[in-house]
């Protein structure tokens, strides 16, 4: 055994000649222990992290070694170890500082790119709900139903629709809706107030044992602030009858407890000939109890409701022949309303022996009603093809995770083990044909859905000097139950399935400036309950097999560069099309890609960033030339520059780009690409801030969402298949006044 260990440590560049350990503790200015602080030995290349008590044990150290102590949001410290430091525990106090790239040290225990997002949220905060997901490198979104519907998402060569292949969460509470009336994985993030976001955690691919359903292209988890630095009231006024009012108030700050409330009201007509009449109201309250090193508790209550009209997707031919303009409509009776109430509890208890128990429980009540018309008069030449999708849902869930980092564990081992469940109760889940939102013509699908997911996972990390080996395993059990309310007799069907998701990741920290990783894993997304029972349990949980080979390089304090080559293979699946109440098979697919990113913090006030993403996406079982995946982006890019606190000025100039892509399987129809530029500029004097926000600065004519659809207009004898699109917003100016106190 000793010989094996010697070989492993030699592989990692660590010899056994150095046998002394350096023990210490890291605290903040108030004496509170800091968890997960990185300690890096510049001489040996060995690194470690503080546990929940702020303590660390750095191995293989000799006097004279230079260590670097880094933690995002705090000043870096360099320290040269002396002989006296081995006789007692050394205590380090870190001072708070503005977030910067300089504070990020490449470490296998933390995701450097998620830390980069924290820096970017400070230099260029989220200003609208549409910007929330755009913060994720390589992710593109589009809105196509009056602003109230969940955005369409594109990532890693996926047209994810509204969330089928990406797992979205807020503070660990899932956003994706299983077996939703409109589509599997439907994810409406509009209950999240952008100004409350503190951090965004994300990962691409199916490589994370604590992430389950829908984590194929990746996952995103939003963290909200525990405490406000300032109270704030803000008013926005702009083009297209745009109005937005936001208020955020700290209502408790005493001892270990704090609490705040935040609320917003959005009104918007949009550039369309038929006004959107969009309105959304949000309110959120969060209570935080934190006793450092002992216990943390967060209780969040939020509610939002939204209502809107929509002009829908319009056919190219109607614009070309002058029947309507780009902002006109064929059926302007589309639209909908939705609401969601959330109660979320997160609790962490620090236990003796470097253990931490984290627990989460949540409840959501959700309503949804959407009216659409994609084909106009194709199916019904008299009444038109309007459809209604509606549901009323309750979601319950809980999770407990035990984390352990113990000195007595072998090979600097860390592990986390968790169990949890999620239960969805979707009542009166409906797809119907309607007329003018008022008259019910025919019910196509109508029933009650109950879906239960029980799961457990184990994530382990073995630190072998510069190499971290990260095996993990997840087990999911699903039960699908559907009660069909259309049939005259009682019709209830149920199916269940177990799925195993192994993961194996490697992180090699060559130096404090270079990290190389290889990630491997199996993930899945569940199929709609109506598919499962219709197929008698076949292909319930189609698997996704993925690998990433990448590196993160930090050439100096001002730069961070990243690159990854990846592959993702998806099994056969049967997709429930919520717009038609039918089941469509789609075959095996393969995606190969390359992600490139660069960040440069020129100085305290100027920041540059850019991401380039290429994907080759094809269906495996189709002949060449007919194997394109509709709407799969081949090349996307986003980036810009941000200015912060330059003599009171701050702001950002940003762009997003997507190239032409196939709209159907043989690429005979093209979804046109676009590049759009946005600008925001702010000036703050004392407690007053004035701002200007310009979307589509160059007034580009672009199509925000596009689909190859067969439709028929009222005066047409035969249907036509072509691009149907929702026009992107033209030059859109808003002014903003904020008061802080």
């Amino acid at each position: 055994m000793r010989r094996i260990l010697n070989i492993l440590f030699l592989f990692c560049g660590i010899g056994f000649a150095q046998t002394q350990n350096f023990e210490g503790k890291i605290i903040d200015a108030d004496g509170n222990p800091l968890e997960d602080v990185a300690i890096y030995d510049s001489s040996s290349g060995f690194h470690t992290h503080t546990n929940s008590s702020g303590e660390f044990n750095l191995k293989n150290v000799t006097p004279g070694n230079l260590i670097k102590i880094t933690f995002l949001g705090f000043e870096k410290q360099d320290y040269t170890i002396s002989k006296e430091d081995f006789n007692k525990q050394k205590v380090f106090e870190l001072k708070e500082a503005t977030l910067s790239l300089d504070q990020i040290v490449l470490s296998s225990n933390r995701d450097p790119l998620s830390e980069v997002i924290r820096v970017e949220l400070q230099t260029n905060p989220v200003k609208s709900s549409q910007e929330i997901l755009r913060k994720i490198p390589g992710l593109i979104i589009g809105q196509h139903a009056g602003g109230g519907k969940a955005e369409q998402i594109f990532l890693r060569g996926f047209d994810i629709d509204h969330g089928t292949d990406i797992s979205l969460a807020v503070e660990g509470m899932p956003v994706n809706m299983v077996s939703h009336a409109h589509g599997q994985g439907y994810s409406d993030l509009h209950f999240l107030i952008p100004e409350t976001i503190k951090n965004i955690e994300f990962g691409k691919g199916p490589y994370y044992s604590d992430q389950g359903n829908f984590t194929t292209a990746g996952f995103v988890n939003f963290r909200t602030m525990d405490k406000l630095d300032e109270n704030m009231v803000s008013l926005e006024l702009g083009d297209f009858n745009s109005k937005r009012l936001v208020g955020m108030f700290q209502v408790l700050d005493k001892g270990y407890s704090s609490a705040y409330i935040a609320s917003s009201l959005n009104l918007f007509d949009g550039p369309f000939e038929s006004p959107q009449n969009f309105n959304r109201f949000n309110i959120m309250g969060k209570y935080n109890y934190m006793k450092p090193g002992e216990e943390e508790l967060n209780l969040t209550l939020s509610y939002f409701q939204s209502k809107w009209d929509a002009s829908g997707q319009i056919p190219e031919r109607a614009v070309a022949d002058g029947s309507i303009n780009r902002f006109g409509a064929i059926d302007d009776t589309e639209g909908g309303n939705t609401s969601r109430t959330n109660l979320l509890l997160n609790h962490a208890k620090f236990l003796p022996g470097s253990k931490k128990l984290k627990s989460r429980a949540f409840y959501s009540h959700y309503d949804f009603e959407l009216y659409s018309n994609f084909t106009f008069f194709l199916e019904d030449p008299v009444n038109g093809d309007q459809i209604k999708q509606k549901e009323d849902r309750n979601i319950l869930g809980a999770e407990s995770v035990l984390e352990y980092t113990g000195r007595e564990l072998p090979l600097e081992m860390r592990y986390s083990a968790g169990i949890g469940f999620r239960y969805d109760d979707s009542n009166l889940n409906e797809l119907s044909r309607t007329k003018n939102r008022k008259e019910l013509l025919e019910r196509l699908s109508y029933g009650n859905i109950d879906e239960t997911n029980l799961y457990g996972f184990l994530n382990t990390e073995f630190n072998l000097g510069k190499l971290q080996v990260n095996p993990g395993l997840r087990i999911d059990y699903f039960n699908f139950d559907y009660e069909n309310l259309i049939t005259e007799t009682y019709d209830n069907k149920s199916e269940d399935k177990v799925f195993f998701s192994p993961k194996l990741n490697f992180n090699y920290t060559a130096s404090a400036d270079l990290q190389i990783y290889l990630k491997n894993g199996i993930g899945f997304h569940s199929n709609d309950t109506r598919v499962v029972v219709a197929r008698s349990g076949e292909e319930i949980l189609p698997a996704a097999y993925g690998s990433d080979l990448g590196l993160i390089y930090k050439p100096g304090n001002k730069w961070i560069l990243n690159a990854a080559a990846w592959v993702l293979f998806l099994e056969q699946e049967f997709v429930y099309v919520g717009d038609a109440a039918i089941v469509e098979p789609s075959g095996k697919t393969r995606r190969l890609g390359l992600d490139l990113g660069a960040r440069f913090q020129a100085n305290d006030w100027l920041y540059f960033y850019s991401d380039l993403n290429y994907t080759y996406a094809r269906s495996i079982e189709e002949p060449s030339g007919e194997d394109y995946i509709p709407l799969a982006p081949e090349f996307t890019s986003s980036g810009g520059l941000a200015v912060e606190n330059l003599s009171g000025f701050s702001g950002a100039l940003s762009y997003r780009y997507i190239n032409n892509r196939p709209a159907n399987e043989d690429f005979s129809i093209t979804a046109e690409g676009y590049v759009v530029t946005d600008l925001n500029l702010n000036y703050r004097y004392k407690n007053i801030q004035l701002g200007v926000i310009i979307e589509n600065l160059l007034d580009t004519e672009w199509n925000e969402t596009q689909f190859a659809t067969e439709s028929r207009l009222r005066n047409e004898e035969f249907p036509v298949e072509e691009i149907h699109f929702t026009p992107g917003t033209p030059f859109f100016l808003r002014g903003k006044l904020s008061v802080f106190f």
Side-chain angles (χ1 to χ4, degrees):
M1 182 66 181
R2 176 77 173 181
R3 181 175 297 175
I4 294 174
L5 291 176
N6 278 334
I7 293 173
L8 290 172
F9 281 116
L10 284 172
F11 172 76
C12 302
I14 298 175
F16 278 89
Q18 302 168 327
T19 58
Q20 291 179 291
N21 296 341
F22 175 52
E23 298 182 0
K25 182 175 182 178
I26 299 179
I27 59 176
D28 63 16
D30 296 323
N32 300 316
L34 294 175
E35 183 182 7
D36 207 30
V37 178
I39 301 95
Y40 183 84
D41 188 339
S42 300
S43 303
S44 67
F46 190 83
H47 67 275
T48 189
H49 292 77
T50 56
N51 60 22
S52 57
S53 301
E55 298 175 338
F56 68 88
N57 182 21
L58 185 64
K59 298 182 178 180
N60 304 294
V61 178
T62 57
N65 282 15
L66 176 66
I67 64 170
K68 298 179 179 294
I69 301 172
T70 61
F71 193 46
L72 196 61
F74 290 82
E75 293 181 0
K76 290 198 311 180
Q77 277 197 29
D78 291 345
Y79 183 76
T80 303
I81 298 174
S82 65
K83 293 181 179 179
E84 292 74 19
D85 291 325
F86 297 106
N87 300 323
K88 61 180 180 179
Q89 186 185 69
K90 178 70 176 178
V91 178
F92 296 91
E93 179 184 309
L94 298 188
K95 297 180 180 179
E96 290 192 34
T98 302
L99 300 180
S100 68
L101 296 183
D102 184 37
Q103 298 163 2
I104 298 176
V105 166
L106 305 186
S107 164
S108 56
N109 290 82
R110 294 199 302 241
D111 181 4
L113 296 184
S114 285
E115 293 194 326
V116 165
I117 296 300
R118 282 190 63 189
V119 176
E120 292 180 3
L121 282 171
Q122 175 183 270
T123 57
N124 184 20
V126 175
K127 297 172 292 302
S128 69
S129 58
Q130 280 69 39
E131 287 193 5
I132 290 175
L133 283 169
R134 288 178 185 155
K135 289 293 182 183
I136 309 304
L139 192 151
I140 301 291
I141 64 169
Q143 174 58 249
H144 57 257
K149 189 177 175 183
E151 278 75 21
Q152 185 181 9
I153 301 171
F154 300 94
L155 178 68
R156 283 203 158 183
F158 281 88
D159 168 18
I160 295 176
D161 196 24
H162 302 290
T164 310
D165 287 285
I166 186 171
S167 174
L168 301 179
V170 176
E171 307 279 10
M173 178 184 68
V175 178
N176 302 71
M177 300 284 181
V178 296
S179 304
H180 188 271
H182 183 66
Q184 179 70 332
Y186 185 89
S187 301
D188 188 348
L189 271 166
H190 295 145
F191 66 86
L192 183 60
I193 299 174
E195 287 84 354
T196 65
I197 296 174
K198 176 180 68 174
N199 190 26
I200 304 175
E201 301 165 352
F202 76 96
K204 297 180 182 179
Y207 313 123
Y208 316 95
S209 59
D210 61 339
Q211 302 294 325
N213 200 5
F214 304 113
T215 311
T216 52
F219 79 92
V220 182
N221 185 31
F222 295 90
R223 299 286 185 182
T224 58
M225 293 184 289
D226 296 326
K227 183 179 178 181
L228 303 180
D229 294 328
E230 299 175 289
N231 297 328
M232 183 267 285
V233 175
S234 176
L235 175 65
E236 290 182 23
L237 298 174
D239 292 334
F240 315 124
N241 200 24
S242 171
K243 303 178 181 70
R244 184 168 187 257
L245 178 64
V246 182
M248 300 174 63
F249 309 97
Q250 189 78 29
V251 296
L252 176 65
D253 188 5
K254 184 177 181 181
Y256 300 125
S257 298
S258 64
Y260 69 89
I261 58 173
S263 185
S264 67
L265 176 65
N266 293 57
L267 304 173
F268 185 51
D269 282 342
F272 302 93
E273 287 188 345
S274 297
Q276 290 179 320
N277 298 313
F278 171 76
N279 65 79
R280 181 173 68 235
F281 172 73
N282 294 68
I283 188 167
M284 166 193 169
K286 187 172 185 180
Y287 170 77
N288 179 62
Y289 174 85
M290 179 180 292
K291 196 171 183 180
E294 296 187 24
E295 188 175 16
E296 296 178 7
L297 182 144
N298 299 107
L299 178 63
T300 305
L301 178 64
S302 65
Y303 170 78
F304 102 104
Q305 66 176 19
S306 182
K307 185 178 180 180
W308 67 96
D309 297 323
S311 295
Q313 300 154 27
I314 57 176
E316 286 185 329
R317 62 187 184 277
V319 178
D321 66 19
S323 301
I324 60 173
N325 65 32
R326 282 179 49 80
F327 298 99
I330 302 298
D331 180 357
D332 64 357
T333 65
E334 297 187 34
N337 59 82
T338 186
S339 68
R340 180 166 177 166
T341 303
N342 303 301
L343 177 62
L344 171 64
L345 175 69
N346 276 290
H347 180 260
K349 179 66 175 177
F350 297 88
L351 305 175
S354 301
K355 298 185 182 72
K356 181 164 68 171
L357 180 64
K358 298 194 299 184
S359 298
R360 175 187 306 120
F362 59 87
Y363 167 76
S364 293
H365 180 256
Y366 170 80
D367 290 305
F368 176 84
E369 185 175 43
L370 179 69
Y371 294 87
S372 308
N373 188 345
F374 304 108
T375 54
F376 311 124
F377 295 93
L378 177 67
E379 305 293 338
D380 188 337
V382 177
N383 298 301
D385 298 347
Q386 185 180 91
I387 59 172
K388 177 178 78 168
Q389 295 164 315
K390 185 177 181 179
E391 68 165 85
D392 181 276
R393 180 185 297 252
N394 295 293
I395 310 172
L396 289 167
E399 179 183 273
S400 289
V401 181
L402 178 64
E403 297 180 348
Y404 185 27
T405 306
R407 297 180 183 179
E408 67 275 12
L409 293 176
L411 303 177
E412 286 288 307
M413 178 184 174
R414 302 173 58 171
Y415 77 80
S416 61
I419 57 173
F421 81 93
R422 170 179 172 172
Y423 169 66
D424 283 71
D425 171 36
S426 177
N427 298 301
L428 306 180
N429 197 302
E430 174 185 0
L431 172 65
S432 297
R433 294 181 55 245
T434 57
K435 182 178 179 180
N436 295 325
R437 291 207 208 180
K438 296 179 180 180
E439 185 179 349
L440 176 64
L441 301 177
E442 179 188 8
R443 280 201 171 110
L444 303 175
S445 174
Y446 190 51
N448 295 325
I449 297 172
D450 293 275
E451 187 169 326
T452 304
N453 175 205
L454 308 175
Y455 61 87
F457 65 87
L458 175 65
N459 185 69
T460 59
E461 299 172 359
F462 297 91
N463 287 312
L464 310 176
K466 296 183 179 181
L467 176 69
Q468 181 196 73
V469 183
N470 173 212
L473 177 65
R474 182 182 179 93
I475 304 173
D476 285 87
Y477 165 81
F478 282 86
N479 180 264
F480 305 86
D481 188 271
Y482 183 61
E483 180 186 3
N484 191 340
L485 299 178
I486 291 182
T487 57
E488 294 182 1
T489 59
Y490 179 72
D491 183 10
N492 188 285
K493 296 180 180 179
S494 181
E495 299 287 346
D496 58 7
K497 185 77 171 182
V498 176
F499 193 89
F500 292 84
S501 308
K503 327 285 182 180
L504 181 59
N505 305 319
F506 301 90
N507 285 285
Y508 183 72
T509 306
S511 69
D513 302 323
L514 178 62
Q515 181 183 111
I516 303 170
Y517 60 84
L518 173 63
K519 298 180 180 180
N520 308 276
I522 299 175
F524 68 95
H525 79 242
S526 64
N527 274 329
D528 189 286
T529 292
R530 290 157 290 193
V531 175
V532 172
V533 299
R535 299 288 305 179
S536 300
E538 296 180 19
E539 303 294 340
I540 292 178
L541 305 170
Y545 304 86
S547 290
D548 265 56
L549 176 63
L551 63 85
I552 303 173
Y553 179 47
K554 190 178 180 187
N557 295 329
K558 297 182 178 181
W559 285 90
I560 287 186
L561 309 175
N562 64 279
W566 57 272
V567 59
L568 188 62
F569 170 81
L570 265 68
E571 284 185 342
Q572 169 74 36
E573 56 185 298
F574 294 89
V575 178
Y576 179 82
V577 183
D579 298 334
I582 60 174
V583 176
E584 285 187 351
S586 62
K588 297 180 175 65
T589 61
R590 178 177 60 242
R591 291 167 172 83
L592 309 171
L594 180 65
D595 295 343
L596 301 173
R599 270 78 185 155
F600 175 58
Q601 195 160 20
N603 48 46
D604 292 340
W605 56 269
L606 184 58
Y607 184 90
F608 296 89
Y609 63 100
S610 184
D611 291 285
L612 307 174
N613 309 95
Y614 170 78
T615 302
Y616 179 84
R618 293 291 187 272
S619 295
I620 295 176
E621 298 172 326
E622 302 298 328
S624 179
E626 300 178 11
D627 55 352
Y628 292 94
I629 301 175
L631 301 180
E634 182 182 53
F635 183 74
T636 64
S637 179
S638 59
L641 62 89
V643 173
E644 182 192 20
N645 197 23
L646 176 62
S647 301
F649 285 94
S650 63
L653 178 67
S654 61
Y655 77 90
R656 58 190 185 277
Y657 168 79
I658 186 169
N659 72 332
N660 291 350
R661 57 200 188 280
N664 58 353
E665 289 78 1
D666 62 4
F667 212 159
S668 59
I669 302 177
T670 299
E672 294 183 358
Y674 59 81
V675 57
V676 176
T677 304
D678 301 324
L679 172 69
N680 75 85
L681 183 63
N682 304 287
Y683 176 74
R684 179 163 177 173
Y685 179 73
K686 295 184 178 179
N687 66 326
I688 296 178
Q689 181 172 286
L690 299 174
V692 173
I693 302 169
I694 304 176
E695 295 184 30
N696 196 358
L697 176 67
L698 303 179
D699 199 19
T700 301
E701 185 177 287
W702 62 295
N703 297 338
E704 187 161 10
T705 57
Q706 302 169 78
F707 301 89
T709 304
E710 185 180 52
S711 68
R712 182 167 61 187
L713 302 179
R714 186 184 290 274
N715 60 349
E716 292 179 329
E717 184 177 357
F718 300 104
V720 177
E721 184 182 20
E722 65 173 357
I723 285 293
H724 292 57
F725 67 93
T726 301
T729 304
F731 181 92
F732 178 18
L733 173 66
R734 306 195 301 275
K736 184 175 182 179
L737 170 65
S738 302
V739 179
F740 300 87
F741 55 96

